[in-house]
Amino acid sequence: MDLQGKWGIPGLIDMHTHSFGNNIPNSKNDTPGTQAVSERVLKAGVTGFVDLFGDEQNLIDVRTKQRNGKFVGADIYTSLTCFTAPEGHCSEYGIATRTVTSVADAVREMTELVTLDPDVIKIVYQPSDDQPSISKEVFAQLVKTSKQFGIKSIVHIKSWQDIRDAIDVGASAVTHVPRGEIPKDIPALMAKAGIVMIQTLTVHTDFVNFLYDPTVLDAPLTKELASEALISAYRHVDLITKYKDKQAKFRERNAVTFSSVNAMINAGVRILVGTDSGNWNTIQGYSVHREMKLLTEAGMTPHQAIASATTYSANFLGIQSGFNEGDKANFIILNASPINDIMNTQSISLVIKNGNIVVQNSFNDDKS
């Protein structure tokens, strides 16, 4: 196969998603389930994702099917559940989760969960939130126990103080960028501790773009991956009118978030692409490309953004994926250079999964 004039990158990995499907504003949600999402996102070159909370048994069953070759889809990694306080975040969705109130609870529940082989551990820690939160003591025990079992922890946080506490207890990663300006010492503290940031810029900032930047929903990948109901919902006059007067405020708030991420980038904090897809203003698969685009707006080079969605994420998960001998053969062939323009990650010719072509688009595109 002649790939002259094409470009290759490793397969994309979404480090924070909820793979039931897509929430749609003011409409019936698109909920095909984890297997269908795993199959669907291959069209976007997403060859792996981390589901950070869902129905434990369902995630185990679908992950087992995928790993046994029962269907061809993105590699499924998952926390299976999340650790939270009674009535804390994750408990509001009607899905059983792991609630803990004491150190003994933390040890017992973690020990039990590990028998189900989670790929990572998710912990909810947000004492400043309106919802209840685990204590720092319980938080520390959860992280300690996960380390004893050799499993990395990803912590859902809300404030900059939560990040300080996550550093203090030795968590592997935090997910989400807190609102408000970043304290000047936080980036250096994160870099020194080696804590990873999974920033989920799409869920934090892309709503205004879904509503008021027509190119987001006009993208060919959007039409490949999103239902007409989803696209129509964001173009509904009532939704656009409702938020029209808040557009400037949204963009000002987003600028603060981008500034925070820029400070982390400049300090050398390891940043991994995660979308929190399953929420508003996200689309399974497509939002990984949006996340890379937003990271370049926050100050990353295209090369850095691609690494955050590929090799860096794979390394966090303990896998080698790409073009080197012995790597898992998951990669994407593009029609144009993503280094020249990060938007070219969306111009996909081929997707290769486990050495097999699973997506093949036209080879008649102009060569770059």
Side-chain angles (χ1 to χ4, degrees), residues 34-52:
T34 297
Q35 177 174 332
V37 167
S38 173
E39 295 167 332
R40 179 191 296 180
V41 299
L42 288 176
K43 296 178 183 179
V46 175
T47 59
F49 61 76
V50 179
D51 188 300
L52 287 180

Side-chain angles (χ1 to χ4, degrees), residues 266-322:
N266 292 337
V269 175
R270 178 57 56 90
I271 292 175
L272 307 182
V273 161
T275 64
D276 207 2
S277 289
N279 288 288
W280 278 30
N281 47 280
T282 63
I283 297 171
Q284 298 285 354
Y286 176 57
S287 285
V288 176
H289 297 270
R290 289 294 305 162
E291 196 76 28
M292 289 187 285
K293 172 68 165 59
L294 295 171
L295 281 172
T296 64
E297 292 180 17
M300 273 193 178
T301 66
H303 187 276
Q304 289 173 319
I306 293 166
S308 293
T310 58
T311 52
Y312 293 166
S313 292
N315 289 344
F316 184 89
L317 294 170
I319 58 177
Q320 296 296 319
S321 178

